[in-house]
Amino acid sequence: MTRVWAERGSRPPAPRDQRYDWAYLFGAVCPARGTGAGLVLPDANSEAMNLHLAEIERHVTPGSHAVVVLDRAGWHKVGGRLRLPHNISLLPLPAYSPELNPQENVWQFLRQNKLSIRVFDSYEAIVDACCDAWNDLIGTPERITSIATRQWASVNI
């Protein structure tokens, strides 16, 4: 992976090691309930985000409404291509503020404890590792609460 200058929101072409494939882990957690919804997909684009929003919708408690905190990735922008479920609202964060996004701590935890310093033999092995890492996290609700709780996001009703 490398860094290059490009127009904001674009995904510039860059040479990459062709020996490997990429899988994208789309995930969202609810620290209050200690649960989450995730998908491992071959691409990160608006179609994948629509699948992810549908998966989140399935996990929202009936009669409840979810607020999904997200950064400003190109596939997070509505722009007429995202189908936003009726029980989900999007809360885009200011640019360059990953410290406000609780999900960033989830990704850091997964990278540091489950997905780093590994070489995978196949695309299926990558998908299996991502699924195992996500399922391990979801299996420990207290860890989700610990990693993703933010005082500023608490709601007292």
Side-chain angles (χ1 to χ4, degrees):
M1 192 161 150
T2 185
R3 299 197 183 272
V4 296
W5 288 99
E7 185 175 293
R8 180 178 291 226
S10 70
R11 292 189 59 103
R16 56 180 128 165
D17 189 343
Q18 297 300 316
R19 294 178 296 165
Y20 299 97
D21 283 319
W22 296 89
Y24 296 88
L25 178 53
F26 282 74
V29 296
C30 175
R33 293 176 42 224
T35 190
L39 295 172
V40 179
L41 300 168
D43 296 303
N45 54 31
S46 58
E47 292 82 21
M49 188 65 185
N50 281 327
L51 292 172
H52 182 49
L53 289 170
E55 182 68 11
I56 295 169
E57 177 185 29
R58 285 185 343 95
H59 287 83
V60 174
T61 304
S64 296
H65 192 86
V67 175
V68 178
V69 177
L70 40 76
D71 58 20
R72 295 182 183 268
W75 55 88
H76 291 165
K77 296 181 177 134
V78 179
R81 292 184 300 197
L82 288 187
R83 293 182 299 277
L84 195 59
H86 71 283
N87 61 345
I88 296 176
S89 294
L90 302 180
L91 176 60
L93 292 174
Y96 308 108
S97 59
E99 68 280 359
L100 295 177
N101 191 346
Q103 191 67 27
E104 293 298 331
N105 292 83
V106 171
W107 301 138
Q108 180 182 16
F109 173 82
L110 290 176
R111 279 190 303 269
Q112 288 178 345
N113 296 286
K114 303 290 182 187
L115 298 172
S116 63
I117 312 173
R118 297 179 63 185
V119 176
F120 302 101
D121 293 329
S122 65
Y123 179 76
E124 290 76 22
I126 295 170
V127 172
D128 289 344
C130 290
C131 291
D132 290 345
W134 184 259
N135 289 334
D136 183 62
L137 176 70
I138 295 302
T140 52
E142 63 279 356
R143 182 172 289 142
I144 293 170
T145 300
S146 171
I147 292 172
T149 298
R150 293 292 182 277
Q151 191 64 36
W152 64 263
S154 297
V155 177
N156 296 322
I157 298 176

